């Protein structure tokens, strides 16, 4: 018995060094990291977990990704694909075993092609979102995906998580912006799909299976994404609203008056803006201490600035008359508009500065959001006296970040340990009772993998497991994430 275990150990030790040798031959020693400070690859953005990698490998092209996958499959070593490591659900770092390879896409950051006639851009998966936006702008177009993490997150990670962000109400999420993918499969084959076709009904759309699969079904190496004309005029307003019901009313009016020009509709409660005010006191936040909620709304148009402004201001007048808005400020120039967006994008950082917290990334039908908030606010306050709710998000998409911060003066880590499961069940049970989803944009990762079965349709979950088994029979791609 002991001899058997010993042999197994010796064998796996031998396999490991053989694998590392192969990886070094393929990539060159500098791109197979095993020593030194690997914390940026091993620690998640929220500091919720820290893993240990066997190695971090940094391929420069698709052929090298193929060679890595084949070598790892051969050695039965699992792979964790990683982009910018800005994910919020612990899905892009290795587990603690020290046996997983982190495949960082950082070196694959070429823009392969801009096709102006087809209105598409083809980029490698390691391009940061910001660099894709910049490349589109340089060519005279708009790439509208926009997240607070855009300076670090990558297009591969955006597609891996089907990221949303602040422009979804007009342009859709990452899935809707993607026309094609190049993917390395779990067996090391390349699925070529970068033709940029807007119509292709030749069977199952595997692109959509890959998008949002969080690195569990294939490794995205490149993508063809949609481009749009740049808007001629952009108008941004910051409005004070008394209740969530009023914010929903304002959204209805915005749809009615602005039509397809409505590009952003974000809601923030007073406590979330108070955190920004506390941790970034240099920011001047309009109206926040006069009202329970603020809304940030944006209108982008191909019409002239004057015409668009008249319509936008008329919308705000109607909202003031209806009393769903009590006060509003329209940005006078680009820098003021940027400042509004910067305040909104800073909530996540302010919450991180305040300390560990329990995040929820939920979606509901817009028509049931107000009732959900009313009910759940009361339940949480009863369950945890003094609880602080960081309630903000993409109201235009029915997506709230209904986050929970420890009561003042309590220990953050102890709160997470003692309350996280209870709080999650309370919030998710309410979400379920209103027919919503427990993840609107951040995904499942390992943080929600054991919660998902309580809230996902069992038939859908069983099919997901069958898909995983069919596409990754050895279970080498990001195991323990999305489905077990
Ligand atoms: P990672 O964190 O590296 O990976 C995320 C997942 O994708 C992992 O499961 C990983 O294995 C997989 N993956 C990464 N690259 C690939 C690839 N090439 N092929 C296959 N799988 C891959 N998210 C939103 O949706 N909306 C927001 O508004 C938003 N705002 C944010 C603001 C801040 C300040 C922060 C820190 C995060 C925010 N996020 C937001 C979350 C995060 O930025 C997104 O999920 C983003 O899409 C992750 O990209 P990444 O490159 O960092 O991916
Ligand atoms: C956002 O909308 C991101 O800013 C992050 O999705 C949300 O911090 C969060 O909970
Ligand atoms: Zn968000």
């Amino acid at each position: 018995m002991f001899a058997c275990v010993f042999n197994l150990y010796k064998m796996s030790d031998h396999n490991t060094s053989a694998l590392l040798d192969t990886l070094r031959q393929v990539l060159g020693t500098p791109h197979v990291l095993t020593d030194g400070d690997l914390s940026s690859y091993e620690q998640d953005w929220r500091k919720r977990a820290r893993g240990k990698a066997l190695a971090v490998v940094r391929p420069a092209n698709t052929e090298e990704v193929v060679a890595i996958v084949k070598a790892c499959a051969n050695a039965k070593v699992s792979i964790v694909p990683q982009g910018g490591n800005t994910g919020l659900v612990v899905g892009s770092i290795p587990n603690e075993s020290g046996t997983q390879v982190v495949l960082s896409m950082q070196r694959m950051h070429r823009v392969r092609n801009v096709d102006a006639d087809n209105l598409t851009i083809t980029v490698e998966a390691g391009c940061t979102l910001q660099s894709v936006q910049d490349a589109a702008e340089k060519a005279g177009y708009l790439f509208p995906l926009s997240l607070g993490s855009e300076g670090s997150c990558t297009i591969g990670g955006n597609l891996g998580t089907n990221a949303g962000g602040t422009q979804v109400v007009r342009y859709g999420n990452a899935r809707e912006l993607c026309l094609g993918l190049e993917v390395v499969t779990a067996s090391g084959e390349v699925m070529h799909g970068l033709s940029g076709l807007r119509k292709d009904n030749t069977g199952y759309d595997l692109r959509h299976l890959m998008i949002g699969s969080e690195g569990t079904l294939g490794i995205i190496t490149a993508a063809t994404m949609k481009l749009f004309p740049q808007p001629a005029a952009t108008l941004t307003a910051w409005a004070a609203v008394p209740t969530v019901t009023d914010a929903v009313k304002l959204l209805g009016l915005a749809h009615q008056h602005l039509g397809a020009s409505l590009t952003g509709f974000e809601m923030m409660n007073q406590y979330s803006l108070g955190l920004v005010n506390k941790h970034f006191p240099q920011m001047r936040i309009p109206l926040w201490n006069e009202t329970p909620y603020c809304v940030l709304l944006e209108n982008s148009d191909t019409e002239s600035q004057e015409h668009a402004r008249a319509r936008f201001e008329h919308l705000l007048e109607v909202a003031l008359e209806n009393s769903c808005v009590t006060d509003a400020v329209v940005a006078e120039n680009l820098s003021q508009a940027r400042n509004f967006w910067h305040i909104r994008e800073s909530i996540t950082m302010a919450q991180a500065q305040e300390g560990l917290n329990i995040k929820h990334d939920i979606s509901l039908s817009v028509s049931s959001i107000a009732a959900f908030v009313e009910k759940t606010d009361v339940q949480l306050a009863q369950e945890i006296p003094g609880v602080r709710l960081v309630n903000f998000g993409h109201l235009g998409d029915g997506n709230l970040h209904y986050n929970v911060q420890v009561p003042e003066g309590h220990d953050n880590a102890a709160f997470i340990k003692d309350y996280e499961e209870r709080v999650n069940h309370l919030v998710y049970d309410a979400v379920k009772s209103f027919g919503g989803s427990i993840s609107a944009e951040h995904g499942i990762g390992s943080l929600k993998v054991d919660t998902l079965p309580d809230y996902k349709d069992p038939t859908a979950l069983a099919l997901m497991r069958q898909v995983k088994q069919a596409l990754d029979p050895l279970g080498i791609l990001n195991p323990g994430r999305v489905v077990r």
Side-chain angles (χ1 to χ4, degrees):
M1 168 70 185
F2 276 108
C4 182
V5 171
F6 182 69
N7 281 342
L8 208 77
Y9 171 73
K10 286 307 277 182
M11 233 175 74
S12 76
D13 207 25
H14 171 74
N15 276 356
T16 298
S17 60
L19 171 64
L20 291 175
D21 285 347
T22 308
L23 293 173
R24 285 187 188 109
Q25 274 161 25
V26 172
L27 302 171
T29 306
H31 300 301
V32 181
L33 315 179
T34 51
D35 306 312
D37 180 11
L38 299 181
S39 53
S40 64
Y41 302 99
E42 292 178 335
Q43 167 92 65
D44 80 310
W45 190 90
R46 292 174 63 195
K47 302 203 167 31
R48 288 293 311 257
R50 169 101 198 225
K52 174 89 194 84
L54 171 67
V56 176
V57 294
R58 297 166 15 101
N61 53 49
T62 305
E63 292 69 42
E64 289 184 1
V65 176
V66 166
I68 293 165
V69 173
K70 285 192 170 157
C72 288
N74 196 31
K76 297 200 172 46
V77 163
S78 58
I79 299 170
V80 181
Q82 189 181 90
N85 197 16
T86 66
L88 300 173
V89 290
V90 191
S92 48
I93 57 161
N95 62 26
E96 290 169 1
S97 66
T99 61
Q100 297 189 298
V101 166
V102 171
L103 192 157
S104 165
M105 297 300 289
Q106 277 167 344
R107 288 178 68 222
M108 290 185 62
H109 53 71
R110 270 190 325 127
V111 175
R112 288 195 190 163
N113 180 34
V114 175
D115 183 340
D117 289 340
N118 200 40
L119 280 176
T120 50
I121 185 166
T122 298
V123 295
E124 289 181 346
C127 285
T128 63
L129 173 53
Q130 197 170 351
S131 70
V132 180
Q133 293 167 348
D134 290 347
E137 194 182 339
K138 205 168 144 210
Y141 297 97
L142 171 77
F143 180 61
L145 191 69
S146 179
L147 321 180
S149 54
E150 61 202 21
S152 316
C153 67
T154 62
I155 207 77
N158 300 151
L159 290 162
T161 56
N162 186 25
T166 52
Q167 302 277 296
V168 175
V169 70
R170 161 75 176 86
Y171 297 101
N173 46 27
R175 180 186 303 285
E176 281 147 305
L177 295 170
C178 178
L179 288 177
L181 291 178
E182 178 187 274
V183 176
V184 174
T185 68
S187 58
E189 308 297 321
V190 182
M191 184 177 92
H192 299 279
L194 296 176
S195 50
L197 300 178
R198 280 162 207 268
K199 290 187 159 183
D200 178 11
N201 283 348
T202 51
Y204 309 133
D205 199 331
L206 300 171
R207 160 189 50 160
H208 285 310
L209 211 48
M210 294 294 164
I211 297 172
S213 68
E214 300 181 45
T216 63
L217 300 181
I219 297 164
I220 297 166
T221 47
T224 299
M225 308 298 291
K226 290 182 192 170
L227 294 176
F228 295 83
Q230 280 177 351
T234 301
L235 290 153
T236 314
W238 187 279
V241 295
T243 63
V244 179
T245 304
D246 291 311
V248 170
K249 271 191 207 152
L250 175 60
L251 176 62
L253 287 175
H255 279 309
Q256 199 185 319
H257 287 257
L258 307 180
S261 303
L262 178 67
T263 39
F265 196 98
E266 301 286 313
M267 184 187 77
M268 299 145 280
N269 76 348
Q270 192 178 55
Y271 181 68
S272 59
L273 293 172
L275 280 183
V276 177
N277 183 60
K278 175 176 170 187
H279 294 286
F280 308 111
Q282 73 283 7
M283 284 188 203
R284 294 167 61 90
I285 311 175
L287 307 172
W288 75 275
N289 46 8
E290 298 164 23
T291 177
Y293 293 92
C294 286
V295 163
L296 172 53
L297 64 157
E298 189 186 79
N299 176 78
S300 300
D301 236 304
T302 43
E303 290 176 325
S304 72
Q305 181 84 5
E306 299 85 68
H307 194 265
R309 193 170 181 105
R311 212 160 38 128
F312 195 58
E313 287 181 350
H314 178 63
L315 158 70
L316 293 172
E317 276 158 25
V318 174
L320 281 159
E321 275 163 25
N322 283 6
S323 307
C324 59
V325 165
T326 51
D327 203 353
V329 190
V330 179
E332 284 305 322
N333 48 43
L334 196 61
S335 123
Q336 209 176 1
R338 282 207 183 113
N339 181 44
F340 288 176
W341 278 110
H342 189 44
I343 296 165
R344 159 63 184 88
E345 304 287 16
S346 299
I347 298 174
T348 301
M349 282 306 278
Q351 222 196 335
Q353 302 259 322
E354 187 72 5
L356 281 179
N357 52 68
I358 304 172
K359 277 192 191 298
H360 300 112
D361 159 43
I362 56 178
S363 64
L364 297 139
S365 66
V366 170
S367 39
S368 57
I369 275 194
F372 164 84
V373 172
E374 203 176 310
K375 175 180 166 183
T376 317
D377 277 8
V378 171
Q379 283 187 342
L380 276 172
Q382 282 167 354
E383 185 80 11
I384 312 162
V387 73
R388 297 176 295 169
L389 297 176
V390 187
N391 183 6
F392 69 106
H394 320 285
L395 189 70
D397 319 323
N399 174 193
L400 287 185
H401 299 303
Y402 190 78
N403 298 345
V404 178
Q405 198 92 36
V406 60
E408 189 91 55
H410 284 57
D411 179 66
N412 279 315
F415 176 70
I416 302 278
K417 190 166 158 284
D418 297 343
Y419 283 93
E420 183 161 34
E421 216 176 304
R422 222 188 309 165
V423 167
N424 283 346
H425 275 288
L426 190 154
V427 172
Y428 294 152
D429 285 353
V431 167
K432 190 176 180 178
S433 74
F434 284 99
S437 162
I438 67 163
S439 176
E441 50 176 23
H442 301 157
I444 299 302
S446 44
L447 209 57
K448 296 184 199 157
V449 68
D450 293 322
T451 313
L452 187 65
D454 293 341
Y455 299 96
K456 185 90 184 169
D457 172 74
T459 308
L461 195 64
L463 288 173
M464 278 166 60
R465 291 199 174 108
Q466 287 174 31
V467 168
K468 170 72 180 169
Q469 178 63 27
L471 268 60
D472 180 20
L474 296 177
I476 63 158
L477 291 181
N478 220 359
R481 270 78 199 243
V482 187
V483 285
R484 285 210 190 274

